[in-house]
Amino acid sequence: RRSAEIDFGYATTVLGKEGSVDFLDSSPWPFSIIDAFININETEFISYEAYARQQPVTQPRVALGSLYWQPPVPLDKTSIPSRIRVAVVGSHATLSLEPVEMLRRFLTGVQIAPVFYGLETRWCQILGMCDQGTAALGKLFKDAEKDPYSYPWHVMQTQIDQIYEADRGLQEAELIVCTEPMAGCL
């Protein structure tokens, strides 16, 4: 019991305060942050679905079935390439993975080829999935986070321009997705 309590507490910490970094709802895993929260200090695991039956939750004003994450009509695939090179800029692994996963789900039949810029190598090793671009963006983001006063807007812009000009992968990307930090995305 103590071990489970520690695990659930750790899960809620990793997924962020109030589920702020919870990407589980959009993943194929049958588990969400709510499952972790409702099971802290419990002796038997209960899913949110079972909990909702025991503790009825007010129904949403809009039927969930009426909301679409994909258009209800097929896309004209003649205008979409079969492979899209995506430069994903961001220093947070799950925030960088989320838009890639959404693109893959939305553009079925299209090979999404992401290259990640700004992630620490350790995250790619842990997740076992990254094709990494230049480490210069990651270093710039870390340096700016440590000493933000040394990186006013004109310095960030100049350094990002230099990194872009030096990296052929960034230049050849057909789509650039930027998650954070904001100064790197603007």
Side-chain angles (χ1 to χ4, degrees):
R1 179 179 191 310
R2 179 72 183 136
S3 177
E5 183 179 330
I6 291 169
D7 289 344
F8 280 122
Y10 181 70
T12 57
T13 300
V14 169
L15 295 172
K17 184 178 181 186
E18 298 175 7
S20 60
V21 292
D22 176 17
F23 65 100
L24 291 171
D25 285 340
S26 60
S27 78
W29 293 6
F31 184 78
S32 78
I33 187 68
I34 297 173
D35 292 311
F37 279 126
I38 64 175
N39 283 286
I40 291 176
N41 297 325
E42 297 295 327
T43 56
E44 291 183 32
F45 181 84
I46 184 171
S47 69
Y48 176 68
E49 187 177 282
Y51 175 82
R53 281 193 302 270
Q54 291 176 2
Q55 309 288 328
V57 177
T58 305
Q59 292 297 313
R61 293 182 187 265
V62 176
L64 294 178
S66 69
L67 302 175
Y68 293 95
W69 64 270
Q70 285 189 327
V73 294
L75 292 172
D76 175 16
K77 298 242 178 169
T78 59
S79 62
I80 300 173
S82 61
R83 182 177 190 272
I84 299 175
R85 290 173 301 207
V86 181
V88 185
V89 178
S91 60
H92 192 281
T94 56
L95 290 178
S96 295
L97 287 170
E98 179 74 10
V100 171
E101 180 61 24
M102 291 298 100
L103 283 170
R104 285 183 173 140
R105 289 182 183 196
F106 184 76
L107 297 171
T108 57
V110 175
Q111 181 189 0
I112 304 298
V115 177
F116 294 87
Y117 294 85
L119 292 183
E120 292 179 40
T121 304
R122 69 183 173 121
W123 290 116
C124 291
Q125 291 169 345
I126 290 169
L127 298 171
M129 47 47 70
C130 290
D131 180 5
Q132 286 191 280
T134 179
L137 275 175
K139 182 178 180 338
L140 174 61
F141 295 159
K142 276 206 161 304
D143 292 347
E145 184 180 353
K146 286 179 189 171
D147 186 10
Y149 295 106
S150 294
Y151 292 88
W153 178 248
H154 72 279
V155 172
M156 288 294 287
Q157 183 178 11
T158 301
Q159 290 198 19
I160 288 173
D161 286 347
Q162 290 170 353
I163 292 168
Y164 179 81
E165 292 301 322
D167 191 286
R168 193 151 184 84
L170 273 171
Q171 295 170 23
E172 292 178 352
E174 292 148 325
L175 176 64
I176 296 178
V177 174
C178 191
T179 59
E180 52 81 42
M182 185 176 74
C185 295
L186 296 176

